[in-house]
Amino acid sequence: MKIIDIINSDKPALSFEVFPPKTDAAFDSVKKATEDIAQLNPSFMSVTYGASGGTSEFTVSVAQNIKNMGVTPIAHLTCVNSTKDDIHNRLEALKNAGIENILALRGDITDENRNKIKFDYKHANELVYDIKAFGDFCIGGACYPEGHPESSSQAEDIKNLKLKVDAGCCFLTTQMFFDNNILYNYMYKIREAGITVPIIAGIMPVTNANQIKRICTLSGTYLPQRFKAIVDRYASNPDAMCQAGIAYATDQIIDLFANGINAVHVYSMNKENVARKIQQNISEIIK
Ligand code: FAD
């Protein structure tokens, strides 16, 4: 099934994310986590992709396994380290595996991959264009309510986002945010810029304090005082931090659905217990 048909239906959509194993040895544990999450029967599940393409084979097989479990998968695909031929081969593999949905991404440019970058694709809009030309995939893109870190301004980032949508994205999934007002303001700006595709709100349940420190260092995501107080109070008590992080994410999700956002994607990161608790917390809301 195509993601666009799922998120355009009246029923609120709740999806979960998994990341593929980095090594053969880790495959079985990821497979188990994926299957446990699939048994929750979410609206769809996404499978991430290494920026360097290192885990690309696993992305296809994990997505195929999700499909076999009866849940719609979406495979992420990055282009920063790929030639056009590499991408063509990935698209063939996805098509042969029966995967209909792709989240088209540039991938991060890091100190590790900076010197290995291949220049067939400079930005995700070029990848979206090639996927669209290749075949009948439902293509999504990423968007950044607080602006992409490389952009000099939010206005510039939104202008570039419009190029990506015009190339063929039928929906956008947001970067995580911890203050819903940031998303509501952003929605107003992108609609004003003529971007009309559905938005899937990305929510990260922060279940341990180290995770949040890493997130802030990497992306500069704004942390509201209410959230900081939770981390300050419960960082040293892992069970309490996990419970509080799930409650905070649940609160955000309920507010999003109440304010007309019809699709929420949870960055569940292979944690079945987190996915299950969030789903239980809003079971009546997503019925
Ligand atoms: P782009 O859309 O190319 O944007 C990157 C920057 O370039 C922005 O500043 C933008 O304003 C600018 N830009 C875009 N187009 C143009 C243009 N035509 N001309 C000039 N400037 C332009 N990374 C992974 O490695 N694997 C994953 O599975 C993964 N999943 C993700 C899922 C989501 C929902 C999100 C939000 C991010 C994900 N990422 C993933 C991270 C992502 O790869 C990085 O954020 C990356 O830095 C940007 O990717 P993008 O597709 O948004 O790039």
Side-chain angles (χ1 to χ4, degrees):
M1 190 166 185
K2 297 238 162 78
I3 302 280
I4 189 68
D5 296 324
I6 297 173
I7 57 182
N8 273 343
S9 82
D10 289 342
K11 193 173 180 286
L14 183 73
S15 57
F16 296 124
E17 181 157 296
V18 292
F19 56 82
K22 290 201 170 68
T23 60
D24 284 338
F27 188 82
D28 283 346
S29 66
V30 172
K31 184 167 179 279
K32 163 127 184 32
T34 302
E35 290 175 356
D36 289 346
I37 295 176
Q39 270 168 5
L40 300 172
N41 198 23
S43 304
F44 63 88
M45 284 172 69
S46 75
V47 188
T48 65
Y49 190 93
S52 60
T55 60
S56 57
E57 308 305 334
F58 291 130
T59 296
V60 179
S61 51
V62 171
Q64 195 169 25
N65 194 36
I66 290 169
K67 187 176 159 75
N68 293 341
M69 297 275 300
V71 174
T72 299
I74 174 165
H76 294 200
L77 178 64
T78 67
C79 59
V80 71
N81 235 13
S82 299
T83 63
K84 291 213 173 223
D85 280 349
D86 295 334
I87 292 295
H88 195 274
N89 292 337
R90 300 284 174 239
L91 294 174
E92 277 295 343
L94 288 165
K95 188 172 135 199
N96 292 338
I99 310 300
E100 295 178 276
N101 304 289
I102 299 178
L103 192 72
L105 301 144
R106 186 197 66 184
D108 277 322
I109 298 170
T110 61
D111 288 343
E112 283 149 35
N113 71 6
R114 198 174 301 278
N115 298 326
K116 297 186 211 142
I117 300 282
K118 297 172 185 166
F119 289 104
D120 276 4
Y121 298 92
K122 275 186 87 174
H123 295 289
N125 64 309
E126 296 161 22
L127 176 64
V128 172
Y129 183 86
D130 275 7
I131 299 173
K132 191 153 175 72
F134 179 92
D136 183 27
F137 288 107
C138 173
I139 309 165
C143 66
Y144 302 83
E146 296 179 66
H148 185 272
E150 288 168 32
S151 288
S152 60
S153 69
Q154 192 180 49
E156 180 198 291
D157 199 33
I158 291 177
K159 212 170 87 197
N160 292 330
L161 183 65
K162 176 90 166 64
L163 296 176
K164 187 156 66 177
V165 172
D166 289 347
C169 286
C170 36
F171 66 90
L172 296 167
T173 305
T174 75
Q175 179 62 284
M176 72 190 78
F177 53 90
F178 296 100
D179 176 348
N180 288 358
N181 285 327
I182 290 174
L183 179 72
Y184 302 142
N185 289 335
Y186 180 67
M187 296 273 297
Y188 179 77
K189 289 180 187 161
I190 61 172
R191 295 308 186 217
E192 207 179 26
I195 297 170
T196 58
V197 294
I199 302 297
I200 302 180
I203 293 296
M204 166 74 92
V206 176
T207 54
N208 75 62
N210 289 338
Q211 192 186 357
I212 194 64
K213 281 181 201 137
R214 214 173 42 243
I215 291 166
C216 294
T217 317
L218 282 177
S219 62
T221 304
Y222 168 70
L223 294 182
Q225 195 49 45
R226 196 166 76 83
F227 184 85
K228 282 189 195 157
I230 290 174
V231 178
D232 283 350
R233 178 73 178 82
Y234 300 116
S236 57
N237 179 343
D239 289 345
M241 185 62 231
C242 182
Q243 194 170 44
I246 289 170
Y248 190 94
T250 302
D251 197 35
Q252 272 192 286
I253 295 170
I254 293 172
D255 180 73
L256 289 164
F257 283 140
N259 282 285
I261 304 291
N262 203 37
V264 172
H265 182 63
V266 179
Y267 293 111
S268 46
M269 304 179 77
N270 298 5
K271 292 181 189 146
E272 185 272 343
N273 62 325
V274 173
R276 182 168 32 81
K277 282 184 184 143
I278 287 184
Q279 200 189 46
Q280 279 168 356
N281 287 349
I282 57 168
S283 58
E284 291 302 318
I285 290 164
I286 55 172
K287 241 183 198 167

